[in-house]
Amino acid sequence: MDDVVAALCSTPVPVPEAPDAVPKAPGLYAWWGRFGALPGISGPKHPAAPAQLLYVGIAPNGTTSSTTLRSRVVGDHIRGTTGSSTLRRSLAALLTDQQGWHSRWTTRPVLVNRDEVALSAWMAERLQVTWAEHPTPWTVEADVIAELEPPLNQAENRGHPMHAVVSEARRRWREAAKAAR
């Protein structure tokens, strides 16, 4: 697991460069953000870059999935929507009031299309990503989250001091989207 953590703490790649850089392989990925990018949220400082850890994810999430790091990071998080990305849902929940974004309800809360575009632009300006190839990332995910302590992760992270803050923001965002129906 030390090699996974070391790779996740390597030099982060800016979002605009990620589509060409992230491999089509299984593994774990970490999202890093500028300090202060998310008001009230603080994460561990990157060992060498001026950034803080926000979120750790995996691809695939089990033996029946064919997801790769590239399809998850690029397809779901960078080019996707809040409907397909837990990271994007947490960011939307934490930023909606500040950014003036609007949501709607489908089977879950999602940003309206123009605000999905705005979230993507926000991510491109403020976030960076690292990754670690691993053949079975689901077998080390909990240990990596426990060691790195990313503030936006909800699963495998209940003991984190930011868990309640993120959970409450997501609850409020969910309720607002339901009310907008």
Side-chain angles (χ1 to χ4, degrees):
M1 186 182 78
D2 290 343
D3 56 333
V4 170
V5 169
L8 293 177
C9 292
S10 65
T11 303
V13 173
V15 167
E17 296 172 24
D20 293 328
V22 178
K24 293 179 183 176
L28 296 91
Y29 53 90
W31 285 97
W32 301 85
R34 284 191 209 156
F35 292 102
L38 289 172
I41 300 295
S42 61
K45 184 182 181 317
H46 189 279
Q52 65 180 338
L53 180 64
L54 297 175
Y55 182 82
V56 170
I58 63 171
N61 63 2
T63 58
T64 61
S65 174
S66 60
T67 305
T68 66
L69 287 166
R70 185 177 296 170
S71 67
R72 187 75 179 130
V73 169
V74 177
D76 292 336
H77 295 313
I78 295 174
R79 295 182 181 154
T81 67
T82 47
S84 64
S85 167
T86 301
L87 170 66
R88 289 178 71 93
R89 281 193 292 280
S90 290
L91 293 172
L94 292 162
L95 292 167
T96 288
D97 292 341
Q98 175 191 6
Q99 299 293 323
W101 293 337
H102 297 90
S103 303
R104 60 189 173 86
W105 184 262
T106 57
T107 58
R108 61 180 56 165
V110 294
L111 289 173
V112 297
N113 290 343
R114 73 176 177 274
D115 293 335
E116 291 284 4
V117 172
L119 174 56
S120 295
W122 184 95
M123 291 172 66
E125 291 175 17
R126 293 167 180 84
L127 300 186
Q128 300 174 320
V129 65
T130 57
W131 58 88
E133 292 185 33
H134 191 284
T136 55
W138 59 91
T139 64
V140 297
E141 178 184 25
D143 291 336
V144 170
I145 289 171
E147 182 164 336
L148 292 178
E149 300 180 322
L152 298 188
N153 283 73
Q154 293 287 281
E156 310 289 353
N157 208 24
R158 284 201 173 287
H160 193 285
M162 292 283 112
H163 187 275
V165 172
V166 175
S167 181
E168 177 59 18
R170 288 181 61 142
R171 184 198 65 75
R172 284 193 320 273
W173 184 58
R174 189 172 43 256
E175 294 304 317
K178 285 181 180 178
R181 284 194 266 192

